[in-house]
Structure formats: C-alpha cells, structure tokens
C-alpha cells in the first residue's frame, strides 16, 4: 500500500486571513507547568533531567489548514431542514474513490463551468459515480506561503457545484484556499453590479443540496486522474461548521 499526503501543515506561515496562533511549550517548561498544576507543586527536578512533556497550545478556526466544510457552514438550513454539523455526517462519505481534474491550464481566478467538468472528465475517459471524491487541481498549494495565496486558485461556479452533487458526489475538494472563485473577484463583481447571489455563490448551493467541500488540499500533482482511494475523515467537533482532516490518497 502506498499513501500520499494530501494535507497542508497547520502553521502560522500560511498567508491567509484566518488567524492561527501556536504557542509552543518545551520540555523544561512542561516540567514546570505539569509539576505545578497536575502534581500539586511537584518540583521540576522530579522529572528525568528536568524534562517534562512538550506541548503546544493552538488558537485556530475549524477552517485552518486542510479542512472539510460541513453543510452548517453554508447556511442554517439545507432543503428546508436544519443543516448538519461536521460531527453529524456519515463517515462513509469520507472514504471513497478519488478523481483528480487538472485545471492548471486555467488562469488564477478562473470560474469552472459544467462544460469544463464534462470536458475534463472526457479527457481522462472517466464517468463519475455516486460518492466519488472529486478533487480540483490548480497547484495553488505550491504558493501556500505567498502573499497572494488567497487570490490565485480557480473556483467552482454554483452551476458546476450543483452538477457534481447531481452526479451523486457528496465530497469535493480543491488545493486552493476556497471552493468559490477568489474573494476579491467576487467583491469586485458585486460592487460593479450589486445583486444577490454573487458572494459565495458555490457555497450557497448548500442551502439547497447537502454536500461537503475540502479546502486547502496539497500534492494533487502527485496523483493520477483516478485509481486511488481518498481518506479524509474530519475532526469530530461538536456543532462544528468544519473539521480539520489529514487527507491522504491510498493506492493498493
């Protein structure tokens, strides 16, 4: 079995607007704090060479790093019912056959259409089946630490998102910052012609149809178009709008 990591590292180095703070605690500090708090004043030298357990404290959102958006993220209701949160979704969705559609031939900010999806599938001679996990490659992960990271990915249109769901797809993902086109393009479009349905158009598909999207994937360039499994189980966060995942591709 061969496993390829499809996840980015949770780090303060990623250039995105969502805040991430990591406070590292080394072994010496661990001895002091564990002795004081857990062992009621035990001195540091009680630990081997004064080395207690190392640790870290993180301040992150559920949307930090490689993560899966739950239906609750998109809208409070889905098809007229309360939207499900991340821990309520069936695990079967998150382990299935993977399909990579290569959009590296498109410019930054390109909006994927239904015709684009059909063309890419025809090019690899693949017919989607229910519960396939569809991954959009634009190699944005190669610029993860660039200042313009949030502005460079291709994005899916609402129509393309609807179409994927209608093929039986429950989980779809991208190596870009977001599933929609970059936010600055959405904002420019809205300001030039204010109207509903411009901002987060693809996300809002979740108001009508239930699905999940993986954002900030990595290493899709190391995968063939199909012939592998994707495992992307989300962290189980009560009431969560998203959950971090260590997404991987598995080859038998």
């Amino acid at each position: 079995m061969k496993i390829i990591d499809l996840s980015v590292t949770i780090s303060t180095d990623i250039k995105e607007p969502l805040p991430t703070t990591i406070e590292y605690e080394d072994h010496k500090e661990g001895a002091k704090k564990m002795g004081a708090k857990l062992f009621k004043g035990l001195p540091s030298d009680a630990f081997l060479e004064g080395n207690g357990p190392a640790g870290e404290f993180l301040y992150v959102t559920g949307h930090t790093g490689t993560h899966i958006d739950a239906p609750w993220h998109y809208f409070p209701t889905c098809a007229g019912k309360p939207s499900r949160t991340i821990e309520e979704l069936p695990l079967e969705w998150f382990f299935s056959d993977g399909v990579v559609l290569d959009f590296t031939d498109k410019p930054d900010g390109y909006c994927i259409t239904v015709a684009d999806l059909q063309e890419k599938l025809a090019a690899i001679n693949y017919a989607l089946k229910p519960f396939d996990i569809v991954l959009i490659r634009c190699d944005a992960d190669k610029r993860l630490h660039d200042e313009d990271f949030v502005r460079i990915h291709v994005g899916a249109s609402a129509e393309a998102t609807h179409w994927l769901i209608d093929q039986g797809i429950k989980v779809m993902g991208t190596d870009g910052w977001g599933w929609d086109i970059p936010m600055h393009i959405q904002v420019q479009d809205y300001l030039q012609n204010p109207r509903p349905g411009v901002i987060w158009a693809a996300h809002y598909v979740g108001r009508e149809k239930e699905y999940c999207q993986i954002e900030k994937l990595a290493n899709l360039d190391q995968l063939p178009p199909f012939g592998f499994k994707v495992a992307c189980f989300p962290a189980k966060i009560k009431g969560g709008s998203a959950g971090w995942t260590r997404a991987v591709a598995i080859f038998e």
Side-chain angles (χ1 to χ4, degrees):
M1 183 173 65
K2 179 181 179 182
I3 296 178
I4 294 178
D5 192 358
L6 304 182
S7 309
V8 302
T9 301
I10 293 178
S11 166
T12 57
D13 297 330
I14 298 177
K15 303 301 182 182
E16 61 171 324
L18 302 176
T20 297
T21 301
I22 306 176
E23 178 184 331
Y24 293 95
E25 186 176 89
D26 67 14
H27 302 86
K28 302 298 184 186
E29 188 66 21
K32 293 177 183 177
K33 290 188 176 181
M34 177 166 279
K37 294 182 179 180
L38 296 184
F39 292 107
K40 303 181 186 289
L42 196 69
S44 296
D45 58 11
F47 297 90
L48 186 63
E49 298 181 16
N51 288 317
E56 53 281 327
F57 297 88
L58 286 77
Y59 176 81
V60 296
T61 76
H63 301 266
T64 294
T66 307
H67 66 276
I68 297 176
D69 288 342
W72 174 251
H73 177 57
Y74 316 133
F75 208 74
T77 57
C78 176
K81 300 178 181 180
S83 296
R84 289 199 280 185
T85 52
I86 197 68
E87 84 283 15
E88 296 176 319
L89 299 169
L91 292 177
E92 290 78 7
W93 285 13
F94 306 107
F95 183 73
S96 195
D97 291 333
V99 184
V100 177
L101 302 182
D102 187 349
F103 281 88
T104 56
D105 59 327
K106 302 299 184 183
D108 295 350
Y110 183 81
C111 189
I112 297 169
T113 67
V114 174
D116 289 328
L117 294 175
Q118 293 171 335
E119 177 184 326
K120 295 295 184 181
L121 287 164
I124 62 174
N125 193 28
Y126 188 86
L128 292 176
K129 62 184 184 301
F131 300 103
D132 279 347
I133 296 177
V134 177
L135 309 177
I136 301 298
R137 174 190 166 195
C138 63
D139 286 353
D141 62 303
K142 309 310 178 195
R143 296 158 65 183
L144 188 67
H145 300 122
D146 292 1
E147 293 294 339
D148 64 349
F149 170 60
V150 301
R151 303 168 69 93
I152 63 174
H153 58 274
V154 304
S157 64
E159 293 76 17
T161 306
H162 273 292
W163 187 83
L164 286 171
I165 299 170
D166 291 345
Q167 310 313 301
I169 307 305
K170 289 297 187 181
V171 178
M172 53 197 76
T174 174
D175 58 15
W177 181 72
W179 180 251
D180 282 77
I181 57 174
M183 194 64 180
H184 73 284
I185 299 176
Q186 301 176 48
V187 171
Q188 290 170 2
D189 187 5
Y190 180 82
L191 293 177
Q192 290 171 2
N193 180 19
R195 62 201 188 281
V198 176
I199 303 299
W200 291 136
H203 275 66
Y204 280 132
V205 170
R207 182 183 182 184
E208 303 172 49
K209 299 172 182 176
E210 193 175 51
Y211 82 104
C212 291
Q213 59 198 29
I214 317 171
E215 294 175 326
K216 291 197 284 289
L217 287 161
N219 301 322
L220 299 185
D221 58 319
Q222 298 184 29
L223 303 180
F226 54 90
F228 58 91
K229 293 282 188 183
V230 173
C232 55
F233 301 107
K236 199 173 181 180
I237 302 172
K238 184 176 181 180
S241 65
W244 313 287
T245 179
R246 184 68 178 267
V248 299
I250 302 171
F251 296 83
E252 293 295 340

